[in-house]
Amino acid sequence: MKRLGVAAAVGIAAGELLQGLAQSEDAYERAPIGYSKGVPQDPVARLDARFRGSKVAGARDDREVVRRLLAEIGAPESSQLLVFSKTSFQNDLISPAHPRALYFSDDVYIGWVPGGLVEVASMDPDLGCIFYRFDPRQTRTPDPESNTFFVRDADCLRCHGGQFIRDIPGNLARSVVTDATGMPQLQFGSTLVDYTTPLAERWGGWYVTGRHGTARHRGNVIASGAGGYSPTDLETGANLTNITSRVSLSAYLAPTSDIVALMVFEHQIAFHNALTKASFRARQMLAYQRGLQTDLKENITEEPVYESCQRVFAHAVQDLLDVLLFKDEAEFPAGGIEGSSSFATDFGRTALKDGEGRSLRDFQLAKRLFKYRCSYLIYTPGFTKLQPVLRRMALERLWKALTQPGTEPRYDYLTSHERETILGILHQTLSNLPPCFEQKPGMREKASP
């Protein structure tokens, strides 16, 4: 009876803790996360350590600095995305005639306005998204105050850890109506975009190159009048494979803002945010549980033993798995989409393939983004270095979704062929799998992918 009383008390207290965390914009600044005081181990932190002797320091101009920086972090130039809305701290430099360029690898995002600073968001396995600024015109000597080339920028958290993203430091993409200067016309609203957002609501304030059939989006246009975008505006911005008549791109690294790259980018930021939130919640609850176990003189465990802690882990796993398996992915237009650059090819160069040459980086593009709907980001350090219990639970739930679909109806959009293929790919390419992956489910039924 005493145990039941303790469990009930823990449930109430844990609920109060989660409510308090949800209401606090800087919960990640406290233990066990300690975001701002933590020592980053993200790719850019490691790059800064070797930057003094790199070729980047000898680049002749900021364009070349950015090009070499992309090569250092493994981001293809074809990942270039162009944003002309004034939704960055460098607003005074941004306009439809002078957009901000974004580039990305699997775990680093680079923002750059020609003539301005480079903005960097880099994924740390423990701390989540770390934000930096970097002056490409000062590449020979580090910042005198921090003694680093890439300076952590706490100002980014006003939007990326408070106003638009709650509970975590994270990335975001916004779709806004703009005027001719790129100024958002917020009377028409603002949409936070991810892979679930309908195409009709995406890309206001962005350039978009590529084909998408009869579907219409908000990219490539500015508001023509007091009513916001008109059907005519949207028509003139549709299915553009070349935007050089609208903006001079000689200062940039590519002449495109590829639609396929845009959609991959929007999946990535959703996954990284879900991953960070799941990681933070699990670690916060385990720290809370350890405190209670200490006070109650119980054995300290790394498994969630109280029901409330188990419930938090279960919700974190489900939220993460939803993004991992592309649940509620937005409907594709009839005829699919087609990119306008080499991004699709460049993206596939780092694919981990099974014995039949299949990978989680294989595009589909006719009815959905990827052929096999399990995110390639499962290989990144953010996932592989998750809190061990959370990672194990996520993989066990993934295995169940792939092998026992009747018990996981929320993922019944995955065909049996797709599930079997994902399982086979993971079995051959992902290390440190839980024992359940060694079982032979015998799923041989074939269905069209």
Side-chain angles (χ1 to χ4, degrees):
M1 295 298 294
K2 181 181 179 182
R3 181 66 178 179
L4 290 175
V6 169
V10 169
I12 294 171
E16 293 173 348
L17 171 68
L18 286 178
Q19 184 178 11
L21 290 175
Q23 294 172 348
S24 173
E25 294 180 357
D26 60 355
Y28 51 80
E29 295 291 8
R30 302 193 295 269
I33 310 302
Y35 176 78
S36 293
K37 294 181 180 179
V39 178
Q41 300 296 322
D42 64 279
V44 172
R46 296 193 299 272
L47 173 61
D48 196 277
R50 66 176 189 271
F51 192 80
R52 291 161 175 41
S54 75
K55 295 179 180 179
V56 177
R60 65 180 181 272
D61 55 31
D62 61 348
R63 184 172 183 267
E64 186 62 24
V65 168
V66 173
R67 168 170 280 137
R68 295 186 184 184
L69 179 57
L70 297 186
E72 289 274 355
I73 65 170
E77 295 176 22
S78 59
S79 70
Q80 176 177 284
L81 309 174
L82 298 171
V83 192
F84 60 81
S85 62
K86 293 181 181 292
T87 49
S88 162
F89 76 89
Q90 299 189 83
N91 285 344
D92 57 331
L93 297 177
I94 299 170
S95 71
H98 196 243
R100 178 169 61 120
L102 299 175
Y103 308 89
F104 61 95
S105 65
D106 287 0
D107 47 17
V108 180
Y109 303 87
I110 300 291
W112 166 58
V113 188
L117 298 177
V118 172
E119 309 158 49
V120 183
S122 183
M123 298 306 301
D124 184 280
D126 291 325
L127 300 175
C129 194
I130 307 293
F131 299 96
Y132 301 91
R133 57 179 168 79
F134 168 65
D135 189 339
R137 293 151 298 189
Q138 300 291 331
T139 60
R140 297 187 181 277
T141 57
D143 175 77
E145 186 173 332
S146 66
N147 197 35
T148 61
F149 290 95
F150 299 90
V151 181
R152 286 188 71 173
D153 194 343
D155 286 344
C156 295
L157 296 175
R158 287 184 294 177
C159 292
H160 290 269
Q163 183 177 359
F164 296 107
I165 302 291
R166 298 290 181 182
D167 304 334
I168 62 167
N171 276 306
L172 61 98
R174 294 173 67 192
S175 176
V176 298
V177 176
T178 75
D179 65 14
T181 70
M183 185 64 69
Q185 304 299 291
L186 296 180
Q187 68 269 30
F188 302 118
S190 172
T191 302
L192 289 179
V193 175
D194 64 21
Y195 73 100
T196 68
T197 307
L199 266 63
E201 299 176 18
R202 297 195 199 188
W203 306 323
W206 300 66
Y207 285 114
V208 183
T209 58
R211 298 198 178 278
H212 45 84
T214 58
R216 294 296 175 262
H217 56 74
R218 298 177 178 180
N220 299 323
V221 296
I222 59 176
S224 60
Y229 293 145
S230 71
T232 301
D233 293 332
L234 300 182
E235 199 63 37
T236 62
N239 292 302
L240 300 182
T241 58
N242 189 307
I243 54 174
T244 54
S245 63
R246 297 174 178 238
V247 55
S248 174
L249 297 175
S250 59
Y252 298 85
L253 301 184
T256 55
S257 184
D258 189 280
I259 190 171
V260 178
L262 272 163
M263 299 184 85
V264 171
F265 168 79
E266 289 157 351
H267 164 68
Q268 279 201 187
I269 60 176
F271 183 87
H272 283 146
N273 288 347
L275 188 71
T276 301
K277 184 168 289 189
S279 173
F280 283 14
R281 280 289 176 88
R283 289 157 59 196
Q284 286 163 342
M285 288 308 296
L286 282 180
Y288 172 72
Q289 178 177 273
R290 284 193 295 270
L292 282 174
Q293 289 172 328
T294 299
D295 291 342
L296 296 171
K297 296 182 171 49
E298 297 178 340
N299 291 331
I300 306 297
T301 66
E302 287 302 313
E303 293 278 344
V305 295
Y306 296 123
E307 181 182 353
S308 56
C309 298
Q310 293 170 350
R311 192 161 53 246
V312 169
F313 268 71
H315 283 308
V317 166
Q318 180 169 291
D319 291 346
L320 181 55
L321 210 63
D322 283 353
V323 184
L324 184 73
L325 295 177
F326 291 86
K327 186 179 185 299
D328 298 326
E329 182 179 12
E331 182 180 355
F332 265 48
I337 65 169
E338 180 183 352
S340 59
S341 73
S342 63
F343 174 77
T345 299
D346 296 338
F347 178 81
R349 295 189 196 281
T350 58
L352 296 174
K353 300 181 180 182
D354 69 3
E356 298 181 37
R358 303 172 300 188
S359 87
L360 300 183
R361 299 179 89 94
D362 293 347
F363 285 115
Q364 207 262 8
L365 301 183
K367 297 180 179 180
R368 57 182 183 264
L369 188 56
F370 289 101
K371 192 171 184 179
Y372 310 114
R373 283 169 287 188
C374 180
S375 181
Y376 57 94
L377 296 172
I378 198 170
Y379 302 113
T380 59
F383 188 89
T384 59
K385 295 182 180 180
L386 267 178
Q387 196 281 332
V389 176
L390 182 65
R391 181 181 186 273
R392 188 200 73 221
M393 291 175 64
L395 288 172
E396 289 174 346
R397 180 82 183 271
L398 173 60
W399 181 86
K400 186 178 178 182
L402 296 176
T403 62
Q404 301 173 21
T407 64
E408 293 285 354
R410 67 188 296 108
Y411 307 118
D412 61 6
Y413 55 89
L414 298 172
T415 66
S416 59
H417 173 69
E418 196 176 351
R419 292 189 192 98
E420 184 178 4
T421 303
I422 293 169
L423 191 66
I425 292 171
L426 293 176
H427 196 271
Q428 295 185 42
T429 59
L430 187 64
S431 60
N432 196 23
L433 290 166
C436 58
F437 275 80
E438 296 302 322
Q439 300 182 34
K440 303 297 182 183
M443 295 172 54
R444 307 314 313 172
E445 177 190 352
K446 296 294 182 180
S448 57

